[in-house]
Amino acid sequence: MSNDEKLKNFIRNFIDIDLEQKRYGFVMTRFPPEPNGYLHIGHAKSVCLNFGLAAEYGGRCNMRFDDTNPVKEDLEYVESILNDVKWLGFDWQDRLYYASDYFDQLYECAEKLILSGQAYVCDLPPDKVREYRGTLTKKGIDSPYRERSPQESLDLFRRMRAGEFEEGEKFLRAKIDMASPNLNMRDPALYRIKKAAHHRTGDKWLIYPMYDYTHCLSDAIEGVSHSICTLEFEDHRPLYDWVLEKLDWPEPRPRQIEFARLNLEYTLMSKRKLLELVKENHVRGWDDPRLPTLAALRSRGLTPSSIRLFCERIGVAKKDSWIEMDWLDKAVRDDLNSQVKRVMAVLDPLKVVIENWPEGQEKALPAPFFPDEPEKMGYREVSLTREIFIERDDFRLEPDQDFFRLAPGREARLRWGGFIHCHEVVTDESGQICELRATLSERSRGLNPNGKRPAIIHWLSAKNSLPATVRLYDRLFLKPKPTGHLEEELNPDSLIERRQARLELSLAEAQPGQRFQFERLGYFMKISEKDGQKPIFNRIVSLKDGWAKMAKNR
Ligand code: ATP
Ligand code: MG
């Protein structure tokens, strides 16, 4: 096995060893989002890992909201998160939990820690707490309240709960080691006073447990075997284990395993930045197809299976890195490739008049929806008429070396039709090309003057085609590794609307949510929104060309 494969499997290795040594009877994981934003593709990686591993080992995965912070949470987020996890294809059955469900138990555990001398109430104000904490190079200093008797701390803790003190006046902290090289172990806070109502527990609590304290206990209460989290919690693991150990939590205790979070090039996943993009109207909302949120990817047209495929392919690593957007694009293409019909659309139409084709004459050309296996999806007919549209970009007045498509004096092959030879270019007053004149023949005249065989281009009858609006999405940021300076880094062309686009007639019956490959252009989905009378299609992903080439060809 190569090193890479080993890395990909390091979580499985842990699980295998634990099962082998009978540390656990079966695998129990959880997905623990904080309900303070929409899920993004990074979260999808965690969802796929947690639910995926549980499924793989015949275990279970809980859905748990980490709702310890009463002020930041919102019902809208809870609903969207549940919806997104379901959409991704995962099922927590009846195991939907909230950390706030455990507040009573957490409180009892805190009293237990106080009584056994493992925790104390501290009266230091926040600035002193910071000062006493020390730094990576400087040891911390013991709080003057550290040696308070358990009885006194217990009394104060109960009075904190009863609301006798103000926020910041007192807090409960673990009694570990102010000289620890790990700052998380320097008597970390366990509970703080927060006089805020909670969306689930209402006014019941005036003190709230801290994340680190809550997380390990929630895992333990639920019988989680493997608590999979991102790398920034590696330094918190000693505290995770400490709490359970000092509470004498029965074995087997959950094992925390960290993996590198997903960073995707040309986008950002910080919730704060995403919120800023939405709030400042840089995008149209949480589901704007340019965002990396799952709601956005769904509205863009990505399938849940393509996201699962992407997460599986990128694997898990122990070191932070950036993943190229091409990985996601490729997973989307690979997923859609065998599922969708191939049809023709012209996004930026240029009219071609076929001079040797009689006015009014129409010919129906049979065309398979899935050319690689024509019988798989059947046939439709495309209509050939005297006036057709081709893609403006498939014509060059002065073609350079590597341009092989239509140009004056050159020939191109119409997909499913014959060969057109361009012999005249009509321009308007501004010099813009507005029409080509061509002749059509069944057979090619042979090689073009550049020595190449005529290229195949897509096209549509001018008369027998449908007007449509097509939205082309590009990267949201110009830089592969954006830092979040929106003014300089946002791509001004991240959305281009083709409002003059044309579609073949077979698309008249397309339903919102239906996906197609527009030949040579990419994969597209019809959306439910309309542009006046016109249907709108989103481009989900371009074809193999990659972003750069598509951008050039727009
Ligand atoms: P916050 O900064 O608000 O904590 P978060 O992105 O960590 O944001 P959570 O709601 O705490 O959000 O995340 C839920 C789970 O998803 C956590 O287990 C977290 O580790 C994981 N997760 C979050 N972002 C990523 C990412 N980019 N890649 C992989 N996993 C992630
Ligand atoms: Mg978090």
Side-chain angles (χ1 to χ4, degrees):
M1 194 191 275
S2 74
N3 243 352
D4 261 12
E5 279 169 289
K6 261 191 222 147
L7 273 182
K8 272 187 194 168
N9 288 321
F10 76 91
I11 299 183
R12 290 190 178 105
N13 289 347
F14 273 125
I15 297 179
D16 289 340
I17 293 170
D18 286 343
L19 291 177
E20 222 170 86
Q21 298 180 346
K22 303 218 169 1
R23 206 167 119 88
Y24 304 102
F26 75 105
V27 173
M28 180 89 227
T29 56
R30 84 287 169 264
F31 174 62
E34 195 180 335
N36 64 350
Y38 278 67
L39 293 190
H40 51 59
I41 186 137
H43 293 113
K45 181 173 172 178
S46 175
V47 172
C48 289
L49 255 181
N50 280 296
F51 280 94
L53 285 169
E56 192 180 319
Y57 283 91
R60 288 202 286 262
C61 178
N62 291 349
M63 177 73 215
R64 182 203 313 146
F65 284 104
D66 158 31
D67 57 351
T68 43
N69 188 347
V71 279
K72 278 202 310 195
E73 281 129 25
D74 199 318
L75 218 58
E76 178 196 349
Y77 297 134
V78 168
E79 276 162 21
S80 81
I81 289 171
L82 291 177
N83 186 34
D84 287 347
V85 174
K86 254 187 246 161
W87 176 74
L88 266 183
F90 298 105
D91 183 6
W92 54 87
Q93 292 156 333
D94 56 352
R95 295 181 314 280
L96 167 59
Y97 303 120
Y98 293 82
S100 57
D101 295 344
Y102 311 132
F103 280 176
D104 283 315
Q105 263 166 293
L106 297 184
Y107 179 82
E108 279 164 32
C109 289
E111 287 208 348
K112 222 172 131 186
L113 287 177
I114 294 171
L115 281 172
S116 63
Q118 315 288 347
Y120 61 99
V121 170
C122 181
D123 303 359
L124 286 177
D127 57 326
K128 288 282 173 222
V129 175
R130 263 194 302 279
E131 192 186 316
Y132 280 44
R133 193 163 182 240
T135 62
L136 281 174
T137 51
K138 206 173 105 205
K139 285 183 182 166
I141 304 168
D142 283 358
S143 156
Y145 306 97
R146 202 170 197 263
E147 296 312 324
R148 220 167 217 168
S149 75
Q151 274 316 323
E152 190 189 353
S153 276
L154 186 65
D155 174 59
L156 290 171
F157 188 51
R158 288 182 176 167
R159 287 165 61 196
M160 276 166 62
R161 179 185 181 169
E164 285 187 30
F165 309 108
E166 293 311 310
E167 286 184 19
E169 223 178 292
K170 291 192 180 351
F171 70 111
L172 181 73
R173 61 199 298 192
K175 193 170 179 179
I176 310 180
D177 179 9
M178 288 306 288
S180 170
N182 181 344
L183 271 80
N184 296 300
M185 298 299 270
R186 294 187 185 169
D187 292 10
L190 302 179
Y191 264 90
R192 65 201 158 143
I193 300 171
K194 197 140 215 172
K195 298 200 165 166
H198 185 282
H199 77 112
R200 285 182 63 85
T201 57
D203 293 332
K204 179 171 173 184
W205 295 95
L206 298 170
I207 54 173
Y208 288 94
M210 303 303 289
Y211 177 84
D212 279 338
Y213 175 70
T214 309
H215 202 79
C216 54
L217 281 172
S218 307
D219 284 345
I221 291 167
E222 292 176 14
V224 165
S225 59
H226 297 88
S227 179
I228 300 164
C229 62
T230 37
L231 227 45
E232 70 272 21
F233 289 103
E234 197 167 18
D235 290 346
H236 298 234
R237 188 176 353 122
L239 178 55
Y240 184 105
D241 293 338
W242 182 92
V243 172
L244 297 177
E245 192 196 308
K246 295 302 169 196
L247 283 167
D248 229 351
W249 200 274
E251 296 281 359
R253 294 177 194 149
R255 177 211 273 280
Q256 177 180 307
I257 305 171
E258 308 86 17
F259 71 97
R261 63 171 53 227
L262 167 67
N263 295 305
L264 195 57
E265 286 190 347
Y266 296 99
T267 188
L268 274 182
M269 282 189 253
S270 132
K271 282 180 191 163
R272 202 168 45 81
K273 280 291 158 195
L274 292 177
L275 189 68
E276 192 178 328
L277 284 163
V278 173
K279 288 267 142 77
E280 291 181 7
N281 298 319
H282 294 292
V283 293
R284 296 177 180 180
W286 283 105
D287 63 350
D288 184 299
R290 290 166 289 184
L291 289 179
T293 60
L294 295 181
L297 299 176
R298 176 168 58 238
S299 73
R300 180 159 173 165
L302 272 76
T303 53
S305 45
S306 63
I307 296 175
R308 293 197 303 265
L309 181 63
F310 165 73
C311 291
E312 192 184 303
R313 283 182 180 169
I314 56 173
V316 284
K318 247 325 203 188
K319 218 174 110 232
D320 277 319
S321 66
W322 286 77
I323 301 285
E324 287 166 24
M325 193 62 103
D326 282 347
W327 282 81
L328 180 58
D329 291 352
K330 174 125 181 26
V332 175
R333 285 185 214 114
D334 289 350
D335 181 58
L336 292 177
N337 178 39
S338 60
Q339 300 179 25
V340 304
K341 288 178 176 171
R342 272 60 173 163
V343 293
M344 289 202 284
V346 177
L347 302 188
D348 187 11
L350 173 61
K351 194 200 280 179
V352 180
V353 179
I354 303 172
E355 294 192 317
N356 60 342
W357 192 270
E359 200 92 49
Q361 182 173 313
E362 293 181 19
K363 186 175 176 189
L365 306 166
F369 279 122
F370 199 76
D372 280 353
E373 294 167 59
E375 299 315 317
K376 179 168 162 163
M377 297 185 185
Y379 287 75
R380 85 286 194 192
E381 286 174 338
V382 289
S383 169
L384 181 62
T385 53
R386 181 176 159 89
E387 293 191 350
I388 63 170
F389 289 128
I390 65 165
E391 206 70 67
R392 184 167 287 274
D393 195 63
D394 280 335
F395 176 80
R396 290 276 194 289
L397 198 53
E398 290 163 13
D400 58 24
Q401 278 286 310
D402 37 321
F403 186 84
F404 302 136
R405 290 161 279 163
L406 202 60
R410 282 199 198 173
E411 197 176 43
R413 180 175 194 160
L414 298 180
R415 180 68 153 154
W416 313 119
F419 295 81
I420 50 169
H421 181 262
C422 171
H423 55 80
E424 193 186 334
V425 178
V426 184
T427 51
D428 61 19
E429 307 92 66
S430 66
Q432 161 100 316
I433 300 166
C434 55
E435 189 179 298
L436 304 179
R437 304 237 143 206
T439 48
L440 180 90
S441 58
E442 289 288 316
R443 258 196 232 123
S444 173
R445 302 172 173 214
L447 299 181
N448 272 324
N450 62 353
K452 298 283 176 190
R453 275 204 308 213
I456 300 176
I457 60 174
H458 59 273
W459 59 280
L460 286 172
S461 154
K463 190 163 78 175
N464 296 327
S465 60
L466 305 166
T469 287
V470 173
R471 292 181 179 159
L472 303 176
Y473 296 100
D474 202 341
R475 299 156 167 168
L476 184 54
F477 286 89
L478 294 167
K479 278 188 171 174
K481 297 183 176 70
T483 55
H485 296 96
L486 302 183
E487 297 307 321
E488 304 125 59
E489 293 180 341
L490 279 178
N491 176 5
D493 296 325
S494 58
L495 167 58
I496 289 183
E497 273 197 331
R498 293 285 187 212
R499 302 195 62 201
Q500 307 303 321
R502 311 290 294 198
L503 310 176
E504 66 169 59
L505 290 182
S506 80
L507 288 170
E509 274 116 61
Q511 296 300 310
Q514 223 179 327
R515 301 175 180 89
F516 300 88
Q517 186 191 103
F518 292 177
E519 286 202 274
R520 300 180 62 228
L521 298 171
Y523 291 94
F524 292 76
M525 183 178 79
K526 180 169 171 170
I527 63 171
S528 46
E529 204 182 319
K530 280 193 153 193
D531 181 8
Q533 292 299 306
K534 290 188 293 179
I536 306 179
F537 281 73
N538 278 350
R539 183 162 71 194
I540 308 168
V541 67
S542 61
L543 291 182
K544 283 193 275 307
D545 309 3
W547 290 88
K549 190 153 170 226
M550 281 314 289
K552 216 173 81 189
N553 286 349
R554 257 193 327 239

